Amino acid sequence: MVFNKVRSSLIAVSILYHATSAFTQPTSASSRSTSLHAIAPAATVSVPSWVDLGESLPSDSTSTPEQPLVTLYRDTNGWCPFCERVWIALRVKNIPYQETLVNLQDKPDWFLNAVPTGLVPAVMIHTDLLTDTSSSSKEGDSSEEKEKTTPERTLVWESVDIMRKLDEMFPNHGPKLMNEDDAAFLEAREVCAAVQSAGFGLLYGGNATTTAVETEEKRSALEAALDGMDAHLSKVTNGGPFLLGSELSGVDIEVIPTLERFRYQFPLLRNVTLSTTTLRPNLQRWFEAIDASPAYASRVAGDEYSWTAVASTFLRIFGSRGNELTVEQNATIARVEAAATALTLDFVNDSGGADSTDDGYVAACREAAEKLIANHEAVVADCSRADPKSQKELGRSSNVERADLALRMIADSLLNNNSDVNLTLFRNKKDATEAAFALRTVAKRLSVPRDMGGPAAKVLRRRLMVLAQNMEANAKDSTRPLGIPRRSKFQSKL
């Protein structure tokens, strides 16, 4: 497959992002957050500690979670395209699963000993938990070289082989995905392979000696491949919108990770727009259908901001190839970073259903709260550290205590689905400025799906940006005598 040609490059990016995640990087004792008790809040305002917030998380006592039948081993940050395929497949087939995250910088010995390739993804199928209605698999399967079977467990690696095995062992869980004996499936796969090959050729195929004419030829090849995919979609049985008809299939899942990246990055990096309502409208319908698929959109999908923000990192890693960046490459990086900055301005307007009692919105609030509370030490440290490890251009707050306090206020509002936040603790202009800076940094550092799903990120980013905005608007100038309050309403609507 075409993906294999660029696998090492994509894994390098995954390694980089594991090391720089705002929600997962380790913190030293000197950089850990300060508790509420060290801040001396106003007597009339109480903000829960992180311990209290953790204890306030709602439980699932009303329902019994399904026992996982599969363990998915994937990269820590959730950006590996091969892992993304399996992640989507498990969700489409509605197979109960659990995750074990593998640090690609320091793969544990148990993983290297278990998986011959040493690569993610891999899955362990809990054969001992399957019933006759869940699986038709028997030991001694013919695909021995891509799996290991014990009396109770079956380990499989390589994304396509995993998807095949899920179909085989879970025939009663969701649709069959890998209909590789179907001519239409193979034709669609060939169409998608042409798009991937041309896309990677344009993105990574150039070097210092590549001429403008050669680059234009590569761009034309991609445009032609995209036209071919649009034409293919226009002839799909029952009108699509997916590659094989009205249902998401394995061939859709195979290509989603590539086209997800292409659609956000190619307009900025290579001046190629994949689709609009008038340009390749059938491909546009495919994107819209993919985006509307809960199995993909709620947790696995990356978003426009995340892919735009990482594009400049791609350029710095793969563009220079050990040499200094060219004037043109530096100009592209500046353009990409400007685009990312412009997208952050939309965070405050992107309500994600704010003030809604909709179940999806409530679930997004809960996920955002859980992630923030579970990783609060790393998040507070990242937005206030003097020596940031990545995205140094964002800057950091110099007041750990105020950053910690502001983030606890955010977590509390998410837990209670409450848009009212009291700003009394941030009357001082300097404190408000530092806290607001920290909140904006967290919003800009938040990456999807590395840190959380898209809906949760949308809710959290908006609350972070709105609170930052309101803090600064309501703050009192630190030079003003304490007994002379500014006319201000110290109440923030998130």
Side-chain angles (χ1 to χ4, degrees), residues 232-243:
H232 174 86
L233 286 165
S234 72
K235 297 180 290 186
V236 171
T237 304
N238 298 326
F242 299 105
L243 283 161

Side-chain angles (χ1 to χ4, degrees), residues 202-204 219 265-272 315 335:
L202 178 59
L203 194 59
Y204 301 114
R219 183 179 291 106
Q265 293 187 338
F266 267 63
L268 294 168
L269 301 179
R270 296 295 184 265
N271 193 30
V272 174
L315 286 170
R335 183 172 67 253

Side-chain angles (χ1 to χ4, degrees), residues 19 33 40 45 109 130 132 206 230 277 287 302 318 324 429 479 484:
S33 56
V45 180
D109 289 340
L130 301 185
D132 291 339
D230 186 74
T277 54
F287 274 123
F318 305 122
E324 287 189 15
K429 185 175 182 179
T479 62
I484 308 176

Side-chain angles (χ1 to χ4, degrees), residues 433-476:
T433 300
E434 288 293 339
F437 198 97
L439 295 179
R440 289 193 177 98
T441 297
V442 174
K444 295 173 183 177
R445 291 276 288 142
L446 201 164
S447 183
V448 177
R450 181 190 66 192
D451 300 322
M452 61 189 66
K458 184 179 291 187
V459 168
L460 180 53
R461 283 175 179 149
R462 181 181 188 276
R463 294 203 178 206
L464 290 165
M465 297 297 270
V466 170
L467 182 56
Q469 193 176 75
N470 291 347
M471 278 179 174
E472 293 177 330
N474 285 284
K476 185 173 71 172

Side-chain angles (χ1 to χ4, degrees), residues 141 143-149 154-157 165:
D141 184 86
S143 303
E144 293 180 7
E145 59 188 41
K146 291 296 179 64
E147 65 182 74
K148 292 181 179 179
T149 303
T154 299
L155 180 69
V156 191
W157 52 95
K165 198 66 177 178

Side-chain angles (χ1 to χ4, degrees), residues 155-481:
L155 180 69
V156 191
W157 52 95
E158 299 293 345
S159 61
V160 171
D161 294 285
I162 292 171
M163 291 165 68
R164 291 171 182 148
K165 198 66 177 178
L166 294 178
D167 277 340
E168 176 190 334
M169 300 194 73
F170 298 92
N172 299 320
H173 281 260
K176 182 178 180 181
L177 299 176
M178 305 301 285
N179 294 290
E180 293 174 290
D181 56 350
D182 180 5
F185 184 102
L186 299 178
E187 180 185 357
R189 176 182 273 175
E190 186 175 343
V191 168
C192 293
V195 173
Q196 294 176 97
S197 178
F200 286 123
L202 178 59
L203 194 59
Y204 301 114
N207 54 47
T209 63
T210 301
T211 66
V213 171
E214 290 171 330
T215 299
E216 189 55 40
E217 289 175 349
K218 294 178 184 295
R219 183 179 291 106
S220 296
L222 175 58
E223 297 273 10
L226 290 168
D227 289 343
M229 185 170 180
D230 186 74
H232 174 86
L233 286 165
S234 72
K235 297 180 290 186
V236 171
T237 304
N238 298 326
F242 299 105
L243 283 161
L244 296 181
S246 59
E247 299 294 330
L248 192 70
S249 71
V251 72
D252 293 292
I253 293 173
E254 285 181 356
V255 78
I256 284 173
T258 310
L259 294 192
E260 173 188 299
R261 290 147 173 80
F262 284 4
R263 71 161 155 174
Y264 294 131
Q265 293 187 338
F266 267 63
L268 294 168
L269 301 179
R270 296 295 184 265
N271 193 30
V272 174
T273 298
L274 270 62
S275 67
T276 66
T277 54
T278 56
L279 174 67
R280 305 185 187 99
N282 300 295
L283 180 55
Q284 180 67 17
R285 285 180 62 238
W286 181 85
F287 274 123
E288 291 169 356
I290 294 295
D291 290 338
S293 172
Y296 168 69
S298 63
R299 184 62 187 95
V300 186
D303 64 9
E304 182 177 8
Y305 172 75
S306 299
W307 280 116
T308 302
V310 76
S312 59
T313 302
F314 273 68
L315 286 170
R316 289 188 173 96
I317 294 174
F318 305 122
S320 63
R321 303 191 180 186
N323 302 313
E324 287 189 15
L325 293 168
T326 66
V327 173
E328 182 180 1
Q329 287 171 329
N330 279 314
T332 301
I333 289 172
R335 183 172 67 253
V336 167
E337 291 179 343
T341 299
L343 289 171
T344 66
L345 301 179
D346 292 333
F347 289 169
V348 73
N349 300 317
D350 197 355
S351 66
D355 299 321
S356 170
T357 57
D358 176 78
D359 289 346
Y361 178 73
V362 173
C365 287
R366 175 175 173 171
E367 181 186 348
E370 289 175 342
K371 294 291 187 179
L372 180 55
I373 293 167
N375 298 287
H376 69 270
E377 289 189 353
V379 177
V380 172
D382 183 81
C383 71
S384 60
R385 65 189 311 145
D387 59 336
K389 303 304 181 183
S390 65
Q391 288 185 284
K392 298 179 181 181
E393 70 278 1
L394 297 180
R396 300 295 190 270
S397 171
S398 61
N399 193 320
V400 179
E401 291 82 2
R402 292 291 133 176
D404 180 273
L405 176 59
L407 287 167
R408 280 187 279 126
M409 293 170 72
I410 290 288
D412 189 38
S413 78
L414 289 166
L415 279 178
N416 295 298
N417 195 15
N418 183 1
S419 62
D420 292 324
V421 175
N422 195 303
L423 298 178
T424 305
L425 298 176
F426 293 93
R427 292 187 181 187
N428 180 280
K429 185 175 182 179
K430 183 176 180 180
D431 286 348
T433 300
E434 288 293 339
F437 198 97
L439 295 179
R440 289 193 177 98
T441 297
V442 174
K444 295 173 183 177
R445 291 276 288 142
L446 201 164
S447 183
V448 177
R450 181 190 66 192
D451 300 322
M452 61 189 66
K458 184 179 291 187
V459 168
L460 180 53
R461 283 175 179 149
R462 181 181 188 276
R463 294 203 178 206
L464 290 165
M465 297 297 270
V466 170
L467 182 56
Q469 193 176 75
N470 291 347
M471 278 179 174
E472 293 177 330
N474 285 284
K476 185 173 71 172
D477 191 325
S478 59
T479 62
R480 185 184 298 273

